[in-house]
Amino acid sequence: MKKILKTSLTLTLPISVEYETFEEDLENGLPEQVDLVAVTFTLAGKTGRKRKIDILQLLDESEVIALEDETGEQHDT
């Protein structure tokens, strides 16, 4: 009989963040904005072939906002 254990696991992986920036739009009162395009990491398969995995769709809204904020801060410097 197969047994299943449900638990949580926190991993730290190096990721690559692709983003677009939108300049400040003073006419409409919008600040400079950052829009994430992809959040990827590289995973080696059984044969050693590297695969780029996009996990943007797996992130919840708070994680996306945190990454956008961090990316915007680094973009400003």
Side-chain angles (χ1 to χ4, degrees):
M1 175 192 290
K2 183 188 244 184
K3 296 183 180 182
I4 298 173
L5 171 65
K6 292 189 178 187
T7 187
S8 64
L9 174 66
T10 301
L11 299 173
T12 301
L13 300 169
I15 61 170
S16 174
V17 178
E18 296 176 37
Y19 63 95
E20 296 177 343
T21 57
F22 298 96
E23 296 299 321
E24 184 176 30
D25 183 357
L26 296 176
E27 187 175 303
N28 294 311
L30 296 172
E32 181 180 64
Q33 296 180 17
V34 173
D35 185 30
L36 299 185
V37 175
V39 178
T40 59
F41 70 94
T42 303
L43 181 66
K46 291 180 183 179
T47 62
R49 182 174 165 225
K50 293 183 179 179
R51 292 167 172 80
K52 199 173 189 180
I53 311 296
D54 187 356
I55 59 169
L56 179 57
Q57 300 302 318
L58 301 176
L59 302 177
D60 65 32
E61 186 176 354
S62 65
E63 292 167 325
V64 170
I65 291 170
L67 271 176
E68 287 174 342
D69 290 346
E70 185 177 333
T71 302
E73 290 169 5
Q74 290 181 4
H75 177 72
D76 291 339
T77 58

